[in-house]
């Protein structure tokens, strides 16, 4: 009986700690910001400050604003979400100088926001989930090299998200969306109106260029890849497509149309 009572007591002590989760708030430029940011009156002035105060399981709710938020990194098992559920109401601006949103925790979720003008990309995901978001106007430096100026997804889940208006120049392998890793999933994406610069890709043996999406692992499903444009690009030793290229992985139930492969030589 003593053993049974002791075990029950331990469970009663531990249960509140295991089940607790704190909601923290962000209001752009809030002059009354004060940790632990648990009310709108004391909300953090930027998203990163609220994240830094979080423990795994917490939720960061970001208020709508006409002024963009600064880029942030999520390396904890938390949720960061726009307050209204409309991704247009919360904007994170990379100012063509940094990645807007970086996610490195498999248990993290980022929802209902727009990431724009990321450099070299809008979202860099190496775990976790992005849902109901908008990646737009990603624009890496000329000759920088890399993949996914809209979203780079290595093993994460990108769901119900729009990727548009992204560009890239020389030595960039994919412009709108890049996916790798067996566990990676892209689901219900709209990948549209992304474009290559009017540059020349020369002697880049082994490069596989895809303006819309390049898949090198996992599954891309239930998505639309349309209206992507290679512009006027010269290719010599590489292979390119304007829509989607699948090197490894699977493309399931997707619609691919009206992607323009420009004047090539």
């Amino acid at each position: 009986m003593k053993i049974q009572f002791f075990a029950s007591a331990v469970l009663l002590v531990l249960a509140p700690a295991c089940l607790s989760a704190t909601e923290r708030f962000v209001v752009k430029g809030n002059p009354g910001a004060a940790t632990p940011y648990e009310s709108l009156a004391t909300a953090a002035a930027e998203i990163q400050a609220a994240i830094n105060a979080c423990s795994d399981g917490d939720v960061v709710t970001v208020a709508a604003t006409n002024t963009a938020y600064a880029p942030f990194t999520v390396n904890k098992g938390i949720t960061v979400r726009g307050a209204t559920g409309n991704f247009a109401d919360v904007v994170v601006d990379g100012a063509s100088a940094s990645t807007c949103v970086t996610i490195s925790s498999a248990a993290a979720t980022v929802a209902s926001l727009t990431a724009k003008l990321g450099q070299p990309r809008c979202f860099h995901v190496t775990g976790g989930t992005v849902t109901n978001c908008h990646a737009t106007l990603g624009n890496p430096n000329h000759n920088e090299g890399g993949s996914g100026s809209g979203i780079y997804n290595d093993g994460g889940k990108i769901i119900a998200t729009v990727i548009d208006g992204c560009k890239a120049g020389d030595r960039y392998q994919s412009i709108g969306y890049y996916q790798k890793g067996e566990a990676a999933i892209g689901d219900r994406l709209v990948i549209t109106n992304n474009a290559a610069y009017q540059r020349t890709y020369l002697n880049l043996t082994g490069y596989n260029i895809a303006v819309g999406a390049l898949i090198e692992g996992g599954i891309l499903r239930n998505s639309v890849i349309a209206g992507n444009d290679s512009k006027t690009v010269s290719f010599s030793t590489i292979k390119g497509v304007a829509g989607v290229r699948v090197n490894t992985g699977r493309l399931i139930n997707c619609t691919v149309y009206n992607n323009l492969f420009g004047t090539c030589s």
Side-chain angles (χ1 to χ4, degrees):
M1 292 297 294
K2 290 182 180 179
I3 294 174
Q4 183 177 4
F5 175 79
F6 176 74
S8 300
V10 170
L11 288 173
L12 286 171
V13 170
L14 291 180
C18 295
L19 295 176
S20 64
T22 300
E23 183 174 14
R24 305 180 195 275
F25 296 90
V26 183
V27 176
K28 177 70 178 181
N30 180 24
T35 55
Y37 314 120
E38 293 181 17
S39 71
L40 287 173
T42 62
E46 283 290 351
I47 298 169
Q48 191 65 60
I51 292 171
N52 293 345
C54 285
S55 300
D56 286 349
D58 286 356
V59 176
V60 174
T61 299
V62 185
T65 178
N66 293 324
T67 306
Y69 289 94
F72 63 88
T73 295
V74 186
N75 57 5
K76 306 173 182 180
I78 64 174
T79 295
V80 178
R81 64 186 184 188
T84 68
N86 182 346
F87 60 59
D89 290 341
V90 173
V91 176
V92 178
D93 190 351
S96 296
S98 61
T99 295
C100 302
V101 179
T102 301
I103 306 172
S104 60
S105 170
T109 296
V110 172
S112 305
L113 59 78
T114 292
K116 73 172 186 177
L117 292 172
Q119 197 280 115
R121 55 187 57 94
C122 296
F123 288 88
H124 187 102
V125 181
T126 54
T129 300
V130 173
T131 183
N132 186 38
C133 286
H134 184 196
T136 188
L137 303 177
N139 192 0
N141 287 333
H142 169 57
N143 208 31
E144 182 173 8
S147 298
S149 61
I151 296 180
Y152 177 99
N153 176 19
D154 182 358
K157 296 178 176 64
I158 315 297
I159 302 169
T161 288
V162 177
I163 305 166
D164 66 8
C166 298
K167 299 179 180 179
D170 289 1
R171 300 182 183 273
Y172 229 72
Q173 287 186 267
S174 65
I175 296 173
Y177 180 64
Y178 176 73
Q179 179 174 293
K180 65 181 289 188
E182 185 177 349
I185 293 175
D187 187 13
R188 288 169 285 145
L189 307 184
V190 176
I191 304 168
T192 186
N193 293 321
N194 302 288
Y197 283 142
Q198 192 168 344
R199 303 292 191 189
T200 301
Y201 294 85
L202 295 174
N203 302 316
L204 303 179
T205 303
Y207 270 54
N208 297 308
I209 307 301
V211 179
L214 176 61
I215 308 303
E216 296 192 321
I219 298 171
L220 176 60
R221 64 192 181 202
N222 307 321
S223 297
V224 175
I225 303 100
N228 301 288
D229 192 349
S230 71
K231 302 295 183 181
T232 303
V233 178
S234 177
F235 295 93
S236 58
T237 59
I238 63 175
K239 300 176 181 179
V241 299
V244 57
R245 181 181 180 89
V246 180
N247 288 338
T248 56
R250 291 182 289 166
L251 190 70
I252 301 174
N253 193 36
C254 291
T255 301
V256 182
Y257 72 97
N258 200 34
N259 298 286
L260 178 63
F261 203 75
T263 304
C264 302
S265 61

